[in-house]
Amino acid sequence: MGRWKALVILGTAQFLMVLDTSVMNVSISQLVEDFDTEVTAIQGVITLYTLVMAAFMITGGKLGDMFGRRRMFAVGLVVYGTGSAITAVAPTLWVLAAGWSVVEGLGAALVLPALAALVAGSYRDRDRSVAYGVIGGLAGAGIAVGPLVGGWVTTYLTWRLVFAAEVVVVVAVLLFVRWIEDHALPGPRVRLDGVGAALSALGLALVVLGVLQSSSWGWLRPRNSPFTVFGFAPTLFVIAAGGVVLGLFRSWERHREARGRDPLVRFSLFGVPALRSGLTMLLSQNLILLGLFFVIPLYLQVVQGLDAFQTGVRLLPVSATMLVASMCGPLLGRVAGPRTVVRLGLLVLLASILWLLAVIDPALNDLQFGLSMGALGLGMGLLASQLGNVVQSSVSEADRSEAGGLQYTAQNLGSSLGTALIGSLLIGALAGVFSSRIADDPQISDAAREQAGISIEAGVSFVTTEQVRAAAEEAGLPPTEVDAVVDSYAEAQLSSLKAAILAAAGVTLVGCAFTRNLPNDRLGSPGSGPP
């Protein structure tokens, strides 16, 4: 047990980082009600959390190199626990965003890079492969427990208790953080590149902001946008500005490196094929997972009318199979290389998404839905069992913190883009299909079409059909037109859900192209990868 004590503490922290994200996803409807807001606002809060992590993850890894990984792990936990406490008592949506999205996000940005480096530094060869399988399995366990426990607590008590309990867990982890060994890095102490940190954070923020707001601003034709650029919606210009800032960030880093100063990111690391492929696959994995975990609860809660606990029960198969597949990764590694396992995971993932696409229907088929969710978790678990080890095993000990920062930056950027992009496609498809349906329905009068068109231009929301019915009746439409509008909206709901899920399938297919450079030797065997 002695050599695995550190893994218990590190694994608990990993479990905690995943838990509250899944709680938030399953509690979307209750959060909308509690804060008297819309789904898009909660989408923004969830996206901001992962964006803060993505923006500051590399900086967090560098701080671990400067002040010690164990120390930054502990400091990050204190910040994270503070954010959890603020979230538990948040009276308004803005306080929720500050506590959960910003403070917890900053805490996680300190914890996770240190965690990845500490796991890699504490274990070698096959033990390291086992350790990353356990870490991936505990991430799966967080996804498993989050919807179920969070759903039960949200339905029968309050979601706030989950975050209050997190504070207790953080305190317990801090009491045993001394079990983790930390090895000081040789050589002079590194310095933080403040300009690089600011440029990377700003660039990532602009890209994700543009994607997130595309559903309300529009991509080209402006809708509900605060300003226009040459008569066009600002979306693509904001994304392009983010790309320019990231280009400046790259130039600045190369400039610092050429002058012998410590860069925030050494872009030479991207010349390692296995690292590059591993990071790309981590981004794709989280884009798909968080995109689907935003869409599926909407189908279960808004369309099917299930509460948070019932939603958690329906999501249990994906969580359970992800846990099992993640834990079995090291066993698979004995007979197949990471490239083979990841490709198998992508194949299972694609099949499960197409299966889910066929299951989305006005009437919920519990058996088919549960089986498709189980297959989804199996595919995700196979990816999770390999990618962390691929990234860390492709670099040397001195580069572990930086690789850990890149690893979790890729994961959280994928999570941000998943929630923003898939959510944006969902709302955009909802508006487009609803407009088309009411335009083609002869039972709807021109006056009703014009009124609906004005509402859609102002920004359509993913709400229940009962809310649409109430709004139509309040507008004074006759019963036949009310029924026609509600039917059109119900069809638009299902079509938009399918469009969002189909986009996830497209990302899965694209991801296959980036597996070529993954190693195909059995990681974890003596001598594989840098020490």
Side-chain angles (χ1 to χ4, degrees):
M1 172 64 187
R3 62 176 175 155
W4 299 112
K5 288 196 301 183
L7 189 60
V8 172
I9 301 304
L10 295 168
T12 302
Q14 174 68 75
F15 175 85
L16 198 63
M17 300 293 114
V18 175
L19 178 69
D20 61 357
T21 304
S22 56
V23 170
M24 277 292 183
N25 281 318
V26 83
S27 304
I28 290 174
S29 294
Q30 189 61 51
L31 290 166
V32 167
E33 181 180 336
D34 287 354
F35 292 105
D36 190 24
T37 187
E38 297 180 347
V39 167
T40 49
I42 304 302
Q43 176 195 7
V45 171
I46 294 172
T47 302
L48 180 60
Y49 174 62
T50 52
L51 175 58
V52 168
M53 285 195 284
F56 294 100
M57 203 65 73
I58 299 173
T59 303
K62 191 64 68 175
L63 289 172
D65 287 343
M66 292 172 61
F67 301 107
R69 295 160 181 174
R70 184 173 65 182
R71 180 179 297 172
M72 282 301 102
F73 178 78
V75 170
L77 283 174
V78 172
V79 176
Y80 189 88
T82 302
S84 295
I86 295 171
T87 304
V89 298
T92 65
L93 184 66
W94 292 108
V95 178
L96 176 77
W100 189 64
S101 303
V102 179
V103 180
E104 279 196 46
L106 289 172
L110 293 174
V111 169
L112 291 173
L115 186 153
L118 288 168
V119 170
S122 300
Y123 302 99
R124 293 287 186 274
D125 301 328
R126 184 162 292 169
D127 283 352
R128 183 186 296 163
S129 181
V130 171
Y132 272 106
V134 171
I135 291 293
L138 288 170
I143 295 174
V145 173
L148 196 61
V149 174
W152 187 88
V153 173
T154 299
T155 301
Y156 298 108
L157 298 170
T158 170
W159 53 268
R160 297 176 186 274
L161 286 177
V162 175
F163 294 93
E166 285 188 351
V167 178
V168 177
V169 176
V170 165
V171 172
V173 171
L174 286 170
L175 291 175
F176 296 98
V177 76
R178 64 182 183 277
W179 285 358
I180 305 170
E181 292 186 12
D182 193 9
H183 304 284
L185 293 177
R189 182 170 167 178
V190 298
R191 296 180 180 273
L192 180 64
D193 174 14
V195 174
L199 288 173
S200 64
L202 178 60
L204 290 172
L206 287 172
V207 170
V208 176
L209 174 66
V211 175
L212 176 65
Q213 292 298 115
S214 62
S215 59
S216 58
W217 292 353
W219 283 100
L220 289 175
R221 183 168 172 265
R223 289 209 300 263
N224 190 26
S225 56
F227 61 94
T228 60
V229 181
F230 305 118
F232 295 101
T235 303
L236 293 178
F237 294 93
V238 171
I239 294 173
V244 170
V245 173
L246 289 175
L248 291 174
F249 166 63
R250 181 180 180 182
S251 299
W252 172 256
E253 296 303 287
R254 291 189 180 280
H255 170 71
R256 280 185 66 90
E257 202 166 0
R259 298 185 64 181
R261 296 181 180 178
D262 293 321
L264 187 69
V265 176
R266 285 183 298 107
F267 278 87
S268 58
L269 283 177
F270 291 101
V272 180
L275 177 65
R276 192 170 59 244
S277 289
L279 294 174
T280 304
M281 291 309 305
L282 282 168
L283 188 148
S284 301
Q285 173 196 349
N286 281 267
L287 195 158
I288 297 164
L289 181 62
L290 269 294
L292 290 176
F293 263 57
F294 178 76
V295 169
I296 293 170
L298 290 180
Y299 169 65
L300 295 174
Q301 295 181 355
V302 178
V303 177
Q304 298 298 333
L306 303 183
D307 60 34
F309 178 61
Q310 292 168 325
T311 300
V313 172
R314 298 313 193 284
L315 292 177
L316 186 58
V318 65
S319 309
T321 53
M322 183 174 178
L323 171 61
V324 172
S326 298
M327 299 293 284
C328 290
L331 297 177
L332 286 173
R334 296 180 182 179
V335 296
R339 187 195 307 161
T340 302
V341 177
V342 168
R343 285 177 173 174
L344 176 62
L346 287 172
L347 182 63
V348 174
L349 189 57
L350 180 61
S352 69
I353 294 174
L354 295 177
W355 193 352
L356 177 63
L357 197 62
V359 169
I360 296 295
D361 198 69
L364 178 63
N365 185 322
D366 276 318
L367 177 60
Q368 292 292 324
F369 184 83
L371 291 173
S372 65
M373 288 291 94
L376 178 67
L378 178 61
M380 282 294 175
L382 290 172
L383 297 182
S385 71
Q386 303 297 315
L387 296 177
N389 196 15
V390 166
V391 169
Q392 287 292 325
S393 295
S394 63
V395 298
S396 64
E397 173 66 30
D399 297 327
R400 291 255 159 79
S401 287
E402 192 167 337
L406 290 172
Q407 174 183 337
Y408 285 106
T409 297
Q411 288 184 215
N412 288 287
L413 181 59
S415 299
S416 296
L417 290 174
T419 306
L421 180 61
I422 302 297
S424 172
L425 289 172
L426 174 78
I427 299 299
L430 178 69
V433 176
F434 186 40
S435 298
S436 176
R437 291 286 189 274
I438 60 176
D440 296 339
D441 194 329
Q443 298 182 71
I444 299 176
S445 65
D446 290 339
R449 288 194 190 100
E450 183 178 353
Q451 190 171 355
I454 293 172
S455 300
I456 291 169
E457 284 295 315
V460 65
S461 295
F462 202 94
V463 297
T464 64
T465 52
E466 287 78 10
Q467 289 174 281
V468 174
R469 181 178 296 279
E473 290 173 347
E474 187 178 343
L477 297 181
T480 54
E481 285 196 58
V482 170
D483 290 340
V485 169
V486 170
D487 289 344
S488 295
Y489 186 80
E491 291 177 17
Q493 275 185 326
L494 292 179
S495 296
S496 63
L497 287 165
K498 290 184 176 182
I501 293 170
L502 189 60
V507 175
T508 306
L509 278 175
V510 171
C512 294
F514 294 95
T515 61
R516 183 169 56 89
N517 289 324
L518 292 175
N520 212 29
D521 54 329
R522 292 176 294 164
L523 288 177
S525 59
S528 63

